[in-house]
Amino acid sequence: MTDCLFCKMAAGEIQPDVVYEDEQVLAFRDINPQAPVHVLVIPREHIATLNDLEERHAELVGRLYLAAREVARREGIAERGYRTLMNCNADAGQTVFHLHLHVLGGRPMGWPPG
Ligand code: 5GP
Ligand code: ZN
């Protein structure tokens, strides 16, 4: 999608602060971090929301989590702990409509989330 911010990052047209990348996945620092470590893991393929996932994406979703695991290791938060989450649509506060997995850590997380 040409008008999608995260597609532009995946295509290299905009260069975010990349933490991890491979053929299918890109992980970069959030521009407005909500914790000392706040990284977004995205598929290079444009998928708007969690609702738009298809059966064929099953392996890709696994790769998002494997990338999150690697991000946590590289950022030194794997043992202490971290949170992964995806916001879907309005009630969850989704603002960028290209699937992304938040990886948050470096401080204790409250529960339940707001
Ligand atoms: P959502 O609210 O859709 O789950 O999360 C979107 C995230 O994208 C937000 O945490 C926001 O700070 C981040 N974001 C929005 N625009 C940019 C940008 O241009 N660069 C980076 N690195 N993050 C962005
Ligand atoms: Zn996109």
Side-chain angles (χ1 to χ4, degrees):
M1 277 194 42
T2 50
D3 60 346
C4 171
L5 176 66
F6 287 179
C7 278
K8 286 182 179 148
M9 291 179 180
E13 291 169 32
I14 297 175
Q15 267 123 33
D17 187 355
V18 172
V19 178
Y20 170 86
E21 65 182 315
D22 62 33
E23 273 187 14
Q24 295 176 70
V25 168
L26 181 68
F28 54 88
R29 295 190 197 285
D30 196 293
I31 202 167
N32 183 24
Q34 301 301 311
V37 175
H38 188 175
V39 172
L40 303 175
V41 183
I42 69 167
R44 291 188 185 275
E45 176 183 345
H46 181 84
I47 302 164
T49 80
L50 197 48
N51 290 338
D52 299 297
L53 277 179
E54 300 171 8
E55 284 290 329
R56 68 185 176 86
H57 294 127
E59 191 200 326
L60 180 58
V61 172
R63 298 217 164 269
L64 295 179
Y65 281 92
L66 287 169
R69 181 190 68 167
E70 180 59 17
V71 166
R73 192 190 67 77
R74 291 185 183 186
E75 295 295 308
I77 57 172
E79 297 311 317
R80 205 175 133 185
Y82 57 98
R83 181 168 293 165
T84 60
L85 68 92
M86 281 187 198
N87 294 320
C88 183
N89 280 342
D91 269 5
Q94 186 176 5
T95 57
V96 177
F97 288 85
H98 179 128
L99 198 76
H100 49 282
L101 182 63
H102 293 259
V103 181
L104 295 142
R107 66 165 170 82
M109 299 288 152
W111 192 265

